[in-house]
Amino acid sequence: MRKGNKLRLIEVKVDALNSQAWLERVSNSEKALQLSKSAITLSEKIDYKKGLAQGLRTLGFSYIRISQHKEALQFLKKSQSLFKELNDIRGQSDVFEYFGIIERSLGNYEKSLNHLFASFELRQQTGYREGEALSLYHLGVTYKYLGDYNQALDYFIKSLSISNEINDWVSQSYSLNNIGLIYFENEDYQRSLEYFNQSLALRRNAGDKWGEAGCLDNIGSCYFRTAQLSASIEFFSQGLEIVKMINDSKGEGNILIHLGNVYKQLSDFDRALLHYRECHSIRKKIGDKKGEAEAKVAMSELLGEDKLDNTAIEKAISLLKESLKIGDEIKSNDLLAKIHYGLYSINKKRGIFHESLAHLETYYQIEREVHKSALNQKILNLEISHRVDKTRQEAAIYQLRNIELAGLNEEIKSKNNNLELALAELKATQTQLIQSEKMASLGELTAGIAHEIQNPLNFVNNFSEVSNELIDEMNEEMEKGDIEEAKALAQDVKQNLEKILHHGQRADAIVKGMLQHSRSTSGQKEPTDINALADEYLRLAYHGLRAKDKSFNATLKTDFDKSIGKIDIVPQDIGRVILNLITNAFYAVTEKSSFTNVSDEDYEPTVWVSTKKDKNQITISVKDNGNGVPQKVLDKIFQPFFTTKPTGQGTGLGLSLSYDIVKAHGGELKVETKEGEYSLFVIILPH
């Protein structure tokens, strides 16, 4: 046989291996892994780049399925390099999808979205409909992780539409299952069951045992949540049988603890304990430390039910202490909170109240940390989502803040019934609230910053154009031999470059100011030009409001005392105070303008901002000719959560935080008002 024919036969074999591995990648990832390894080995022997690229791609996906992301990334990067060399757009789109899955698993949601959008765009270009459905599905999953359920549902439904059109069971079943999970998390169990059952039918039909077991577990959880315990046992048991058959130890442990919970609900404590013990044994065997500790906690809750059985209670305490060691080792706050609450409950039953109280206090302390971390992560996730999808920016920030603050208030109220810890909890959340208000004030500035930065950019563009023309003229003069004229033109170009530099520095200063506003402060004071700070925030707030509402207009009047010079303050903090007062002033004159009994001829909305140096103090004043503050609420305006604005338009935190910031600077924040005529807020700072 000729050498060329022999090589071709090996290529055909590689193609067959890769084709089979690709088909098996979802339903039998272990088999796909072995097939793709064989394809890679043969491809490397004959330097078959196409076969090598495809084998590495499927091998990378197979490693993703078993959560070995480091190995997956290594193979996928090699695959992507080969696909680019071969100009294989479809192959590149697959690898971008897998990059997106890995980054999501690592918590890098912005990178995940960028990779997935890149994958989707390549697939649209090539008409790769199956791939489009998968890209849309994974975009939905990442948005679900970000907590943006509306966006997630939108992408899942788009994915489902394409997969129905092309009859692709993989993306169909994936999307149906995740739509079901969204409804499950929103406690709409009836609708979640509809989607889980549709996904189950597809996976059974395709022989996807992993997916079938997952769907059965989800359905069992729905029935458990709706107290249909017999049905719950039936579906969990079916799922358990499958995971044992396919050696899915992690899935087996999950279903066992779910079954234990059902039997506990039925008061069949012996069966519940049996399932918890089996779960514990499996999780310990596979090295799932958190899962092992969770099983111990579940067993301890059962054993601790009987106040009279001292042996059981001692065993429960022993299990909790073992769990505590694991929780400390893996630094899992949500697990530690459960353990300390369990120790609190058992010690309370035993009448050992000093230990019980100590564990309860630790529980509350950890819960606050968990809540704080969750809130910060949600805010970070929203910022990522905003950068990728700016159209949801303002609504999403306000929605998150209102939901989190409402939840926080409810939590404080309920805990206050048990211990006098509400005040301590409120103090612990102060940083979170300041960050939320800071994000809101940054939103107020954004449009104004855009307006301000446009002017220097226009100058840069104009002077650049003119400079290009001058250089052309200068070249012409040099060709003519008129050196003097060329020098004159060069001087003009130099002047233009100086102007470009000046306006570029102006734009840079605006951007740095914005970043400084959004950045967490160190609390360090620094010499600051208070006149420039007040003037900057006045213009940014005004243009920001104008960008949102073209009908808004107001006369701005300033009177800055030039003798003040620079004063030592934390500029980000005092800037936020000034911004808050100016924003409130604009709101007040806008409200008065909208009154039907005030005509345009009679009323001119006006906001005054002034500074003054008086002996050992500096005053910054913000005045408006709005409706003023009613006397009956004047003593409440600096209280947290108090607002006169309609629901949804104010947090009630702006003036409260402003008051605290000024006090921290050793100053005072005063108000003078006359109902129906004006409001005057004065910041007094030591100098």
Side-chain angles (χ1 to χ4, degrees):
M1 184 182 290
R2 290 182 180 177
K3 187 177 180 182
N5 290 337
K6 188 177 180 180
L7 287 175
R8 181 61 193 138
L9 283 175
I10 296 174
E11 287 178 357
V12 170
K13 186 176 180 180
V14 169
D15 290 343
L17 286 168
N18 278 329
S19 180
Q20 191 180 355
W22 185 250
L23 289 173
E24 298 282 358
R25 74 192 189 282
V26 174
S27 57
N28 194 341
S29 298
E30 193 172 320
K31 186 176 179 182
L33 189 145
Q34 296 306 322
L35 289 167
S36 55
K37 279 186 175 179
S38 298
I40 290 167
T41 301
L42 287 173
S43 297
E44 286 176 335
K45 282 182 179 178
I46 62 171
D47 194 25
Y48 182 30
K49 291 184 179 179
K50 176 187 170 186
L52 183 58
Q54 292 179 351
L56 289 165
R57 172 196 60 188
T58 310
L59 183 61
F61 176 80
S62 300
Y63 275 113
I64 290 172
R65 291 281 281 187
I66 57 176
S67 301
Q68 293 186 25
H69 298 122
K70 187 177 180 181
E71 291 81 358
L73 205 55
Q74 173 189 345
F75 294 119
L76 290 169
K77 284 179 178 178
K78 292 178 182 177
S79 174
Q80 187 73 309
S81 178
L82 286 167
F83 280 133
K84 285 181 180 177
E85 185 180 336
L86 295 165
N87 197 29
D88 184 340
I89 304 299
R90 180 177 289 202
Q92 291 176 55
S93 75
D94 291 334
V95 178
F96 273 128
E97 177 195 321
Y98 300 155
F99 283 159
I101 295 170
I102 291 171
E103 293 295 353
R104 180 174 66 229
S105 300
L106 297 174
N108 302 324
Y109 301 130
E110 186 169 4
K111 286 184 178 179
S112 173
L113 288 173
N114 288 335
H115 286 309
L116 292 170
F117 276 120
S119 170
F120 180 64
E121 287 166 9
L122 289 176
R123 287 166 169 177
Q124 276 191 314
Q125 290 172 22
T126 55
Y128 180 16
R129 297 292 279 165
E130 180 186 341
E132 283 181 51
L134 286 169
S135 293
L136 289 166
Y137 159 76
H138 283 295
L139 282 165
V141 175
T142 303
Y143 275 113
K144 180 172 171 284
Y145 275 56
L146 286 165
D148 192 341
Y149 289 153
N150 288 334
Q151 193 79 294
L153 266 176
D154 185 44
Y155 282 110
F156 287 142
I157 290 167
K158 286 176 181 176
S159 172
L160 192 57
S161 175
I162 294 174
S163 55
N164 286 339
E165 174 192 324
I166 62 174
N167 197 28
D168 175 39
W169 76 268
V170 176
S171 50
Q172 275 180 315
S173 62
Y174 283 9
S175 294
L176 287 166
N177 192 60
N178 273 275
I179 293 171
L181 286 171
I182 287 177
Y183 283 121
F184 182 86
E185 288 173 19
N186 285 279
E187 300 182 3
D188 189 343
Y189 302 118
Q190 189 60 43
R191 294 186 77 176
S192 65
L193 273 172
E194 292 173 15
Y195 286 100
F196 288 149
N197 277 309
Q198 289 180 60
S199 180
L200 176 63
L202 288 168
R203 286 171 162 174
R204 276 179 170 166
N205 188 53
D208 176 12
K209 291 297 181 183
W210 289 71
E212 182 182 351
C215 286
L216 290 167
D217 191 23
N218 289 337
I219 293 169
S221 296
C222 278
Y223 283 123
F224 178 69
R225 290 284 184 90
T226 54
Q228 299 178 65
L229 302 182
S230 296
S232 180
I233 290 172
E234 179 186 342
F235 283 95
F236 283 143
S237 298
Q238 289 180 39
L240 185 61
E241 186 178 338
I242 292 172
V243 294
K244 284 181 177 179
M245 180 178 69
I246 62 175
N247 296 317
D248 177 12
S249 298
K250 187 174 182 181
E252 186 178 353
N254 292 341
I255 295 178
L256 282 167
I257 203 164
H258 293 161
L259 274 167
N261 293 338
V262 179
Y263 286 120
K264 180 184 175 185
Q265 191 73 20
L266 289 167
S267 298
D268 189 344
F269 298 133
D270 289 339
R271 279 193 180 181
L273 193 57
L274 178 66
H275 284 86
Y276 288 152
R277 281 173 176 160
E278 284 186 47
C279 170
H280 174 261
S281 175
I282 288 169
R283 287 177 168 178
K284 187 174 183 179
K285 184 178 178 181
I286 64 174
D288 178 5
K289 290 195 173 183
K290 185 175 182 182
E292 178 191 345
E294 286 173 344
K296 288 179 187 289
V297 172
M299 287 190 284
S300 74
E301 288 174 354
L302 277 182
L303 294 168
E305 290 284 335
D306 191 349
K307 297 181 187 176
L308 303 177
D309 189 341
N310 288 330
T311 303
I313 288 176
E314 289 300 325
K315 178 61 178 173
I317 292 173
S318 174
L319 286 166
L320 286 169
K321 287 181 177 178
E322 290 170 13
S323 301
L324 193 59
K325 287 181 182 177
I326 296 173
D328 285 331
E329 180 187 343
I330 65 175
K331 295 180 173 57
S332 173
N333 278 346
D334 58 335
L335 176 61
L336 287 168
K338 286 181 187 176
I339 296 166
H340 281 289
Y341 193 82
L343 287 166
Y344 149 72
S345 299
I346 286 182
N347 282 303
K348 184 180 177 184
K349 287 177 184 176
R350 296 167 71 202
I352 307 176
F353 296 112
H354 65 284
E355 276 194 44
S356 175
L357 183 60
H359 284 295
L360 185 61
E361 287 174 346
T362 305
Y363 162 74
Y364 280 133
Q365 181 182 350
I366 295 171
E367 279 288 284
R368 286 195 297 273
E369 284 299 314
V370 170
H371 186 80
K372 179 180 177 181
S373 297
L375 179 61
N376 289 339
Q377 186 59 49
K378 285 180 181 178
I379 291 174
L380 177 61
N381 289 347
L382 277 174
E383 289 173 351
I384 293 167
S385 183
H386 301 336
R387 285 196 291 270
V388 177
D389 186 12
K390 292 182 181 179
T391 57
R392 292 187 173 272
Q393 186 171 9
E394 184 173 350
I397 291 175
Y398 278 91
Q399 182 184 17
L400 172 67
R401 185 189 62 203
N402 291 336
I403 289 170
E404 291 296 340
L405 291 180
L408 182 60
N409 285 329
E410 287 301 316
E411 184 183 1
I412 291 170
K413 288 176 185 176
S414 64
K415 288 179 182 176
N416 197 36
N417 294 329
N418 299 316
L419 283 172
E420 295 181 0
L421 291 176
L423 180 60
E425 185 141 1
L426 187 59
K427 288 178 180 178
T429 61
Q430 183 180 17
T431 303
Q432 301 165 24
L433 299 179
I434 291 171
Q435 180 66 14
S436 293
E437 187 63 24
K438 182 174 72 175
M439 292 298 293
S441 66
L442 182 59
E444 296 290 341
L445 285 179
T446 303
I449 289 164
H451 178 277
E452 284 295 299
I453 208 169
Q454 190 60 51
N455 289 331
L457 286 178
N458 285 341
F459 279 114
V460 168
N461 289 336
N462 291 339
F463 283 124
S464 296
E465 272 185 43
V466 172
S467 295
N468 273 331
E469 292 171 5
L470 288 171
I471 288 171
D472 288 340
E473 290 179 28
M474 186 171 67
N475 286 333
E476 289 174 9
E477 294 302 325
M478 289 178 72
E479 286 175 6
K480 292 177 186 178
D482 191 344
I483 302 302
E484 290 305 316
E485 182 60 26
K487 285 182 179 179
L489 290 168
Q491 187 61 33
D492 290 341
V493 171
K494 182 182 178 183
Q495 290 174 2
N496 283 353
L497 290 174
E498 288 172 354
K499 291 172 183 176
I500 288 170
L501 177 62
H502 169 75
H503 291 291
Q505 289 171 339
R506 170 63 181 149
D508 181 59
I510 293 168
V511 172
K512 284 179 178 174
M514 177 183 71
L515 292 174
Q516 189 180 47
H517 177 86
S518 63
R519 192 177 293 129
S520 297
T521 68
S522 62
Q524 292 295 318
K525 293 181 180 180
E526 57 187 77
T528 304
D529 186 335
I530 194 68
N531 292 336
L533 190 70
D535 187 51
E536 182 85 354
Y537 278 107
L538 175 63
R539 288 184 291 102
L540 290 176
Y542 176 75
H543 291 304
L545 193 52
R546 284 275 296 163
K548 288 184 192 176
D549 180 5
K550 298 297 183 187
S551 65
F552 169 75
N553 211 345
T555 300
L556 308 180
K557 295 188 177 181
T558 58
D559 183 13
F560 298 134
D561 187 341
K562 294 180 180 178
S563 67
I564 294 175
K566 292 188 176 183
I567 60 172
D568 286 334
I569 57 170
V570 182
Q572 300 99 312
D573 289 349
I574 295 299
R576 287 182 200 119
V577 176
I578 295 170
L579 175 63
N580 180 259
L581 298 181
I582 291 169
T583 304
N584 286 348
F586 285 150
Y587 178 84
V589 298
T590 302
E591 284 294 291
K592 188 167 182 177
S593 297
S594 66
F595 285 0
T596 54
N597 62 335
V598 178
S599 70
D600 291 338
E601 295 177 4
D602 296 333
Y603 178 64
E604 181 183 354
T606 307
V607 172
W608 293 264
V609 179
S610 62
T611 58
K612 187 178 180 182
K613 182 177 180 181
D614 185 12
K615 296 182 180 177
N616 296 324
Q617 64 185 29
I618 301 295
T619 61
I620 306 117
S621 303
V622 178
K623 181 180 178 183
D624 66 76
N625 61 346
N627 285 316
V629 182
Q631 286 296 322
K632 61 182 180 181
V633 300
L634 192 58
D635 59 342
K636 299 178 182 178
I637 63 171
F638 294 120
Q639 293 178 6
F641 304 109
F642 178 80
T643 180
T644 58
K645 295 176 183 176
T647 303
Q649 292 190 30
T651 63
L653 290 170
L655 284 176
S656 170
L657 294 176
S658 296
Y659 185 85
D660 289 344
I661 288 169
V662 175
K663 291 289 284 184
H665 278 72
E668 295 180 78
L669 179 57
K670 294 185 175 181
V671 59
E672 178 186 320
T673 185
K674 186 171 183 181
E675 198 166 347
E677 292 188 19
Y678 72 91
S679 291
L680 170 64
F681 285 84
V682 181
I683 304 165
I684 303 172
L685 298 173
H687 182 51

